Amino acid sequence: MVITTARLIGTLVLTLGVVAFGEFVLDGPRVFEDAAQLVTGLAAAGLCLAAARRRTGVQRTWRLIAVGGLTLWSANRLWRVALDLADPARDIHHRVLDVGVLVLPACMLAGLLGAAGTRPRPVPTSLRRDQIALIIDSVLITGSVLALTWSVIPERLLGRIADWGSFAGWAIAYPVADLVLLTMVVLLLTTRPDSPAGRRPLRLIGAALVAFGTADAVRLTGAEPGWLQTAGYLLGPMFIALAALSPARPMPPPPDPAPQHRRDWFPLLMPYGPVLVSGIVLGVRTLAGHPPTSFQAYLGWLGLGLVVTRQMITILDNTALIRRVVETQRRLHHQAYHDPLTGLANRALFRERLVLALDAKQPVAVLFADLDDFKLINDTYGHAMGDRVLLAIGERLRSGVRPQDLVARLGGDEFAVVLDQTPAPVVPAPRRRPAFRPRRYVLSAAGIRISADAPLAPLRRRTDVPVPAPTPAPTPVSAAPSVAAAPPAVSGADLPAVLWEEEAETIGQRVLAALREPYLIDGRSVSVGVSIGLVAAEPDDGLSADLLLRRADAAMYAVKRRGKGALIRFTGPVHGPNADLPQLLAGALTGGSPAASGFEVYYQPIVRLTDQATVAVEALARWTDPVAGPVHPDVFVTMAERTGLVAAIDDFVLDQACADAHELERRFGRPIAVHVNVSAGRLGQDGLEAAVAAALARHSLPPSRLVVEITETLRISDMPRAAVVVARLREWGVRVALDDFGSGYNALAQLHGMPVDTVKLDSTLTDVDTAPERAGALCRSVLAICADLGITVVAEGIETTDRAAALAGLGCPLGQGYLFGPPVPLAKLTP
């Protein structure tokens, strides 16, 4: 800014010095004036060219255009110098060659139109229409000013203009062009907000136009003092050069929306202000007996045509703006209700559709699908491949359901489907059953039960309740989904509840079969497992959308605990359709004492395999809700982990087990250790150590009598911190055990990273009686590793004497299972 101001002052001083020298010293010879203008024009063109080389884009373009205009303007001055030398007494008015001077205003017009595209516009519109509107507004304002000016020009000035004869039109074109361009500059400065650095070149261009306009007006009218003409022709090129030398414009900050809205009317009304003023003035003069001249009449018709044209452009702009607003609203609506990656519905649209389906008083079902171990795909192949897999999963979901069903991505790797009875515009076709029928599970308040067409099998551990384990899903062999067509549309108005539930489960099995098949992406076959929870509701159930989603979520996580890759249907509590297990669980664990809400502790013995003497017991939580009745442990533990309430269950069992330890010692006649389950997720959180210390102190229990079992339901997110917590517990004398070792997240890596005292082998590693070679080799290996590390081993899931004998023969010291007793209340536990 300081450099530009210094240049401006220096330019003014130099110009005044040249003019004064020519007027007073040389007595104003015409050749001196023309030569000075020639030198100034060439110097300005050179400076503009030098500045253009350091710029790019529009900033370079308008400077090159200025170079061309100034060069032609200087060429006209060179011709005038030649004429001055050849004929000093020639007539200065009648020269056809002076028409070439209009090239400079044309070049300045092109430069201003180019600059208009780089400045913020008051209303978003087409650049071409905006440039046309800018020209029309400038001509409209200029015509109004000319109409007013023509009314006040003295007769002697009109006579001097008439002296130009046939060249009068061209002579008038000079100042008119200057006035149009100056008006355009004023419009750009007043209606296009920009940074100070962006306004500075435009202001200098405006100053150049003022200088040129003054010189052209003096030349046209012959007004005094005459030196203004010379000064104007010298200052004009210099101001253009200063504009070209202005510093580069930084990116303008975003305009404040509030002031911009308050000034929206200004650029729209500004062109019509001068028109209104000139119309009023000319009307008053006409009433006073001074009718408009033919020139003013022509200007009036021109103004009318420009106003009509301007309004047409405004209508086009408004139409385009309305179309853009509609498109923006549609796009924003789509973004608000759809997932940006897959294009599926998001959680908001899913809930809205589910609410509408429930309000329609027709049967509705919800499928909740969660991908199994999807993080491994991102870690192995990268997130880009993971996104492509999610896209493929979304396509398979859409192709696996009916046209009227809504598929949504709730976030991450969670998907959901709303199955309702909206009629679909498809031709009805016979309903098809899946080619295979995998084992089905039903989740209820009484627990997870298997359908009648599947055999029973013993349950793996957390609570040792004998319920079946799912059969592994068949391995897919093709890369394309097995279901290519959507199921037929079924009218739900006449569909019985049982048939609707079967139909919903059929759709769920079809989706499960399609999603389990490999995905061929970039020549790679990627397999993704999926766990699906299904919940169906009737119109009379009175269930809310949130409740349906929670039940489907609970069913899906029950699949996770049962081995993943299956479908479980939530049938609802057996003691009433309105019982909400998640809400009842939250009330039982946060509303007061869990024992008062139906929670109690069962104990299962842990025995020495050599003589089957009880050496410890495992404390297990049980819940019988007053409303829903007995709730399966897998169900309420899963819900508690999902809702962050598992710590309340762990602390309740810990406190009750420490309290019952003295009764256990009295009943068995010797100290009995108590095993208490603790979720692995708590090792990375605060509160576990304080809860253990408080329970031991409250019941005066020696720390050596307590064994904290780390369950395998959740991954230990912060292994170093977990190791610190475990080490601190062991320093107190509390023993630590890894539960269900060999399944879930518990593996050999945890034995290396975390010091423990006991390992409880999962039942998948203890079936040495049925698979003696393979299972025996695995069991011997784990026993050898634990023996070298000084870790005690407990074998879980012992149901037969043969298995107990086989494990004892392999050197396993301790065992647990239904052979030695099921979990029972303390009162029923016998030595």
Side-chain angles (χ1 to χ4, degrees):
M1 181 65 182
V2 175
I3 297 176
T4 303
T5 304
R7 289 173 178 172
L8 179 60
I9 296 174
T11 300
L12 292 175
V13 172
L14 178 62
T15 303
L16 292 177
V18 171
V19 172
F21 181 80
E23 286 289 327
F24 302 109
V25 178
L26 299 179
D27 196 19
R30 204 156 43 204
V31 65
F32 170 78
E33 297 176 0
D34 292 337
Q37 295 170 19
L38 170 62
V39 173
T40 303
L42 292 177
L47 291 175
C48 290
L49 181 60
R53 292 176 178 175
R54 300 191 299 268
R55 305 295 197 281
T56 58
V58 177
Q59 302 297 325
R60 176 187 179 91
T61 301
W62 78 260
R63 286 171 169 84
L64 292 178
I65 293 175
V67 170
L70 288 171
T71 301
L72 292 176
W73 187 86
S74 300
N76 178 266
R77 263 45 191 174
L78 178 61
W79 179 252
R80 291 180 61 175
V81 169
L83 293 178
D84 291 339
L85 295 175
D87 184 11
R90 62 184 173 80
D91 186 2
I92 64 174
H93 293 283
H94 304 86
R95 288 197 302 252
V96 178
L97 198 61
D98 283 349
V99 177
V101 179
L102 290 176
V103 175
L104 179 58
C107 292
M108 297 180 71
L109 173 63
L112 289 175
L113 291 179
T118 64
R119 302 175 68 84
R121 284 170 278 174
V123 179
T125 182
S126 167
L127 176 59
R128 183 61 54 84
R129 286 201 302 269
D130 181 68
Q131 292 173 339
I132 295 175
L134 181 61
I135 296 175
I136 291 177
D137 292 343
S138 302
V139 174
L140 193 60
I141 295 174
T142 301
S144 302
V145 173
L146 287 177
L148 292 176
T149 306
W150 197 266
S151 303
V152 297
I153 293 180
E155 293 294 334
R156 59 184 181 85
L157 293 181
L158 293 176
R160 293 179 182 177
I161 295 175
D163 293 341
W164 285 82
S166 60
F167 294 94
W170 292 108
I172 294 175
Y174 302 147
V176 170
D178 296 333
L179 183 58
V180 171
L181 295 176
L182 180 61
T183 304
M184 189 177 296
V185 170
V186 173
L187 287 175
L188 290 175
L189 288 174
T190 55
T191 63
R192 312 297 172 86
D194 203 352
S195 63
R199 290 193 295 269
R200 188 178 302 120
L202 204 56
R203 289 173 177 172
L204 292 172
I205 294 295
L209 290 170
V210 171
F212 279 122
T214 301
D216 290 334
V218 171
R219 180 167 178 261
L220 174 66
T221 61
E224 295 295 337
W227 59 267
L228 286 176
Q229 177 181 346
T230 303
Y233 288 142
L234 292 176
L235 286 174
M238 292 182 179
F239 279 125
I240 294 177
L242 287 176
L245 294 175
S246 297
R249 182 184 70 170
M251 290 299 296
D256 187 5
Q260 184 69 22
H261 289 314
R262 289 195 298 267
R263 296 184 57 188
D264 280 347
W265 56 269
F266 182 72
L268 297 177
L269 297 181
M270 185 178 179
Y272 304 107
V275 175
L276 180 61
V277 172
S278 62
I280 293 175
V281 172
L282 293 178
V284 172
R285 287 178 57 85
T286 301
L287 293 177
H290 301 282
T293 64
S294 58
F295 178 72
Q296 292 173 334
Y298 292 149
L299 288 178
W301 284 108
L302 175 62
L304 179 61
L306 293 176
V307 168
V308 172
T309 305
R310 185 67 174 86
Q311 288 301 311
M312 293 178 63
I313 293 178
T314 302
I315 292 173
L316 291 176
D317 289 342
N318 290 339
T319 303
L321 184 60
I322 291 174
R323 187 185 305 113
R324 188 178 294 109
V325 169
V326 172
E327 292 176 355
T328 301
Q329 289 177 342
R330 185 184 300 112
R331 184 171 61 254
L332 291 177
H333 183 273
H334 186 274
Q335 293 176 355
Y337 286 98
H338 290 81
D339 175 58
L341 174 63
T342 61
L344 300 175
N346 60 8
R347 186 179 293 271
L349 182 57
F350 173 83
R351 189 181 186 281
E352 183 176 312
R353 173 68 178 275
L354 185 56
V355 170
L356 291 176
L358 292 173
D359 292 342
K361 301 299 182 183
Q362 290 188 354
V364 65
V366 173
L367 292 173
F368 193 100
D370 184 86
L371 306 182
D372 298 333
D373 302 322
F374 185 74
K375 185 177 182 298
L376 295 177
I377 294 180
N378 287 330
D379 295 342
T380 304
Y381 301 105
H383 288 274
M385 175 68 77
D387 290 344
R388 297 182 64 181
V389 172
L390 291 175
L391 282 169
I393 289 172
E395 291 298 327
R396 289 196 185 179
L397 278 171
R398 271 192 287 244
S399 63
V401 299
R402 305 168 304 173
Q404 69 265 35
D405 299 328
L406 178 72
V407 180
R409 182 188 179 205
L410 303 185
D413 56 354
E414 294 181 343
F415 297 83
V417 182
V418 177
L419 307 173
D420 62 6
Q421 296 302 329
T422 304
V426 295
V427 179
R431 188 173 66 186
R432 298 171 124 186
R433 294 285 184 180
F436 64 94
R437 189 172 184 80
R439 186 172 297 176
R440 296 183 301 163
Y441 298 90
V442 177
L443 184 65
S444 67
I448 300 179
R449 58 182 176 83
I450 196 168
S451 56
D453 56 349
L456 294 178
L459 171 69
R460 290 197 307 110
R461 219 212 63 78
R462 151 123 182 161
T463 53
D464 286 351
V465 178
V467 293
T471 302
T475 303
V477 295
S478 64
S482 59
V483 181
V490 181
S491 176
D494 302 324
L495 191 64
V498 176
L499 294 181
W500 162 239
E501 293 177 357
E502 292 182 357
E503 175 69 16
E505 188 168 352
T506 300
I507 297 174
Q509 294 288 358
R510 182 178 288 108
V511 169
L512 179 64
L515 295 182
R516 285 191 305 198
E517 297 195 6
Y519 300 85
L520 187 61
I521 301 177
D522 292 340
R524 296 178 178 177
S525 180
V526 181
S527 298
V528 182
V530 62
S531 301
I532 301 179
L534 168 65
V535 59
E538 294 298 318
D540 298 333
D541 290 345
L543 302 177
S544 65
D546 294 334
L547 177 56
L548 280 178
L549 186 58
R550 288 201 302 270
R551 289 185 174 182
D553 186 35
M556 182 273 297
Y557 269 89
V559 180
K560 297 282 190 182
R561 291 184 60 82
R562 299 302 304 151
K564 305 177 182 179
L567 170 72
I568 285 182
R569 178 164 61 90
F570 189 101
T571 59
V574 296
H575 292 284
N578 296 323
D580 182 359
L581 285 182
Q583 183 177 357
L584 294 175
L585 179 64
L589 296 177
T590 60
S593 172
S597 300
F599 275 93
E600 54 185 333
V601 177
Y602 280 32
Y603 296 96
Q604 186 178 30
I606 299 173
V607 304
R608 194 166 46 236
L609 292 180
T610 54
D611 57 3
Q612 297 188 2
T614 301
V615 297
V617 293
E618 182 178 2
L620 302 167
R622 293 294 183 268
W623 181 35
T624 303
D625 186 76
V627 177
V631 183
H632 191 278
D634 276 348
V635 175
F636 70 76
V637 169
T638 299
M639 292 180 181
E641 289 175 340
R642 287 287 292 161
T643 56
L645 297 174
V646 70
I649 298 178
D650 291 344
D651 292 346
F652 166 73
V653 175
L654 173 65
D655 186 77
Q656 188 64 44
C658 291
D660 293 339
H662 300 289
E663 175 61 21
L664 289 170
E665 181 181 2
R666 186 194 63 79
R667 183 168 298 188
F668 283 87
R670 62 184 182 276
I672 297 294
V674 180
H675 290 236
V676 176
N677 291 294
V678 172
S679 175
R682 297 193 64 191
L683 293 179
Q685 303 172 359
D686 298 329
L688 176 60
E689 297 174 69
V692 171
L696 293 175
R698 186 181 305 113
H699 302 289
S700 302
L701 182 68
S704 59
R705 299 269 298 277
L706 178 63
V707 180
V708 174
E709 292 190 11
I710 303 172
T711 61
E712 44 73 40
T713 54
L714 295 175
R715 184 188 299 273
I716 299 177
S717 57
D718 190 348
M719 183 65 72
R721 181 175 180 180
V724 172
V725 173
V726 169
R728 207 147 36 214
L729 291 175
R730 296 183 69 202
E731 289 176 1
W732 297 350
V734 176
R735 287 175 286 171
V736 178
L738 277 181
D739 192 14
D740 289 337
F741 183 83
S743 68
Y745 298 111
N746 288 342
L748 291 174
Q750 291 193 2
L751 293 181
H752 173 72
M754 190 165 51
V756 296
D757 301 281
T758 304
V759 163
K760 302 186 74 174
L761 294 183
D762 184 73
S763 58
T764 57
L765 297 179
T766 60
D767 54 348
V768 293
D769 54 335
T770 59
E773 294 182 1
R774 189 174 186 83
L778 291 174
C779 189
R780 278 193 299 270
S781 299
V782 175
L783 288 171
I785 293 173
C786 292
D788 291 340
L789 296 176
I791 298 175
T792 304
V793 177
V794 179
E796 296 182 303
I798 300 178
E799 311 293 337
T800 64
T801 56
D802 291 340
R803 180 170 298 185
L807 288 169
L810 291 175
C812 183
L814 304 177
Q816 179 183 3
Y818 273 70
L819 176 64
F820 311 115
V824 294
L826 179 61
K828 297 182 180 181
L829 186 64
T830 57

